[in-house]
Amino acid sequence: MPNTTTVLPAPVGKWLQIGLWAAQVLIFAAFTLFGCMKFFMPVDQLAAMWVWPGDVPVWFLRLMGIIDFAGGVGVLLPALTRIQPRLTVLAALGCALLQIAAMIFHLSRGEAPAVPLNVILLALSAFILWGRGRRAPIAPRR
């Protein structure tokens, strides 16, 4: 009989859990807010706040709004309800990839002042991706 050893993960600390939930709430708030703005606000009002909305087709702006909103909801709701909590990890991955694309977009247009927010959102998304994917996953409801 082969010698097998079972390695159990280290217990998850209270501060890690608090940090993950705080990051999830922040990503939820940011992505749903920006998503609703991109979807519902008139283009001229958005262009007054940010330069780029006036330079892209309206359908692209509205699609970005839907994607942002879905990412924000996906990072929090599945974990909170414990219904398909693995979707939280996928949403965090999507949010991270979206921020990488946003940084490339802004840098290619010479909009470097917009990038720090993308870096913060990327860091929070990556933290959620790591935390909920590896270190402190949420168990599904039974």
Side-chain angles (χ1 to χ4, degrees):
M1 184 181 252
N3 186 8
T4 60
T5 304
T6 303
V7 178
L8 297 175
V12 177
K14 177 177 85 168
W15 291 110
L16 178 60
Q17 288 287 6
I18 290 170
L20 284 167
W21 282 113
Q24 286 175 257
V25 168
L26 287 171
I27 288 292
F28 168 79
F31 275 73
T32 55
L33 173 67
F34 294 143
C36 286
M37 289 171 66
K38 290 174 190 172
F39 191 78
F40 292 112
M41 284 182 71
V43 175
D44 58 336
Q45 285 182 341
L46 285 172
M49 294 187 315
W50 306 316
V51 175
W52 67 270
D55 297 340
V56 298
V58 174
W59 67 265
F60 179 79
L61 183 64
R62 302 305 185 215
L63 178 63
M64 287 297 98
I66 292 168
I67 291 170
D68 283 353
F69 186 83
V73 169
V75 161
L76 184 62
L77 196 59
L80 199 58
T81 62
R82 293 181 47 208
I83 299 172
Q84 298 293 325
R86 62 189 160 86
L87 294 177
T88 292
V89 177
L90 295 175
L93 174 62
C95 289
L97 294 173
L98 183 62
Q99 291 313 300
I100 292 168
M103 285 188 280
I104 293 168
F105 174 80
H106 290 302
L107 289 172
S108 73
R109 294 173 44 87
E111 299 169 351
V115 173
L117 177 60
N118 298 124
V119 171
I120 292 167
L121 294 174
L122 173 61
L124 288 170
S125 298
F127 176 59
I128 296 165
L129 179 61
W130 167 79
R132 293 300 180 207
R134 299 258 182 217
R135 189 69 180 95
I138 304 252
R141 186 182 286 184
R142 303 222 182 243

